[in-house]
């Protein structure tokens, strides 16, 4: 039997560990009522669990654990699908979402992205957008549709470029 983990203050940590058919839960409740929880699936792909979920501050390190998995969910998350306040993945959803393919968040990047501040290589939608195709309030792109826009073909409150008008009307099927 192994010894219980010890935190930085050299106090023994008594996790509540629960094995389920899907994976393992590891939980801890602080005397203040704050809690820590972590779940990892038994199955993995490419050395990563299929799902990794984290919540709260780890009692061993005093820091938040970054969720790392095929699907990663936590304040900090990294995976193929990452969901969290700060996340990096092929598909990322969070406040700061750095997605290779798709990003959705307050600040988002990705080939396709939606966000209050969206920076994309192809298609961006949001309040402030940069992308080849940019749709939003303040936009910059080759094809830009917004309240205030800059780029090659712009449709904004200052005027309508006929090429931009034709492009965006075709985009919505008209």
């Amino acid at each position: 039997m192994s010894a219980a983990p010890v935190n930085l203050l050299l106090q023994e940590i008594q996790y509540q560990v629960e094995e389920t058919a899907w994976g393992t839960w590891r939980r801890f409740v602080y005397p203040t009522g704050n809690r820590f929880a972590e779940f990892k699936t038994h199955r993995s792909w490419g050395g990563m669990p299929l799902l990794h979920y984290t919540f709260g501050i780890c009692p061993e390190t005093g820091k938040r654990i970054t969720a790392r998995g095929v699907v990663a969910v936590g304040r900090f998350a990294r995976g193929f699908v990452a969901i969290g306040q700060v996340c990096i993945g092929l598909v990322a959803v969070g406040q700061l979402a750095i997605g290779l393919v798709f990003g959705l968040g307050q600040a988002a990047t990705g080939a396709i992205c939606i966000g209050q501040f969206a920076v994309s290589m192809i298609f961006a939608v949001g309040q402030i957008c940069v992308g080849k195709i940019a749709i939003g309030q303040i936009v910059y792109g080759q094809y830009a549709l917004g309240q205030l826009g800059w780029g090659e073909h712009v449709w904004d409150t200052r005027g309508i470029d006929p090429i931009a008008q034709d492009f965006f009307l075709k985009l919505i099927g008209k």
Side-chain angles (χ1 to χ4, degrees), residues 36-40 49 51-58 61-89 91-98:
F36 167 77
E38 179 179 35
F39 177 80
K40 285 185 183 181
L51 173 65
H52 186 199
Y53 164 83
T54 63
F55 178 85
I57 295 173
C58 177
T61 63
K63 298 178 181 177
R64 296 190 184 277
I65 293 176
T66 299
R68 293 179 177 92
V70 175
V71 176
V73 181
R75 179 158 296 174
F76 305 110
R78 188 171 74 198
F80 289 103
V81 176
I83 302 168
Q85 277 187 316
V86 178
C87 52
I88 299 171
V91 174
V93 178
Q95 267 185 310
L96 174 59
I98 301 169

Side-chain angles (χ1 to χ4, degrees), residues 134 138-144 148-154 156 158:
I138 300 170
V139 295
Y140 176 83
Q142 183 178 356
Y143 296 96
L148 189 58
W150 294 271
E152 192 174 334
H153 303 290
V154 179
D156 67 4
R158 298 173 297 173

Side-chain angles (χ1 to χ4, degrees), residues 9-108:
L9 299 175
L10 302 178
Q11 297 171 341
E12 193 172 298
I13 306 298
Q14 295 296 323
Y15 287 104
Q16 176 190 358
V17 178
E18 180 185 349
E19 290 288 334
T20 69
W22 293 94
T24 304
W25 279 99
R26 185 171 71 136
R27 296 181 176 104
F28 179 80
V29 178
Y30 288 91
T32 61
N34 292 341
R35 65 184 183 90
F36 167 77
E38 179 179 35
F39 177 80
K40 285 185 183 181
T41 56
H42 295 304
R43 292 186 179 250
S44 63
W45 186 72
M48 295 187 299
L50 291 180
L51 173 65
H52 186 199
Y53 164 83
T54 63
F55 178 85
I57 295 173
C58 177
E60 291 175 64
T61 63
K63 298 178 181 177
R64 296 190 184 277
I65 293 176
T66 299
R68 293 179 177 92
V70 175
V71 176
V73 181
R75 179 158 296 174
F76 305 110
R78 188 171 74 198
F80 289 103
V81 176
I83 302 168
Q85 277 187 316
V86 178
C87 52
I88 299 171
L90 291 175
V91 174
V93 178
Q95 267 185 310
L96 174 59
I98 301 169
L100 184 61
V101 176
F102 179 75
L104 171 66
Q106 208 165 6

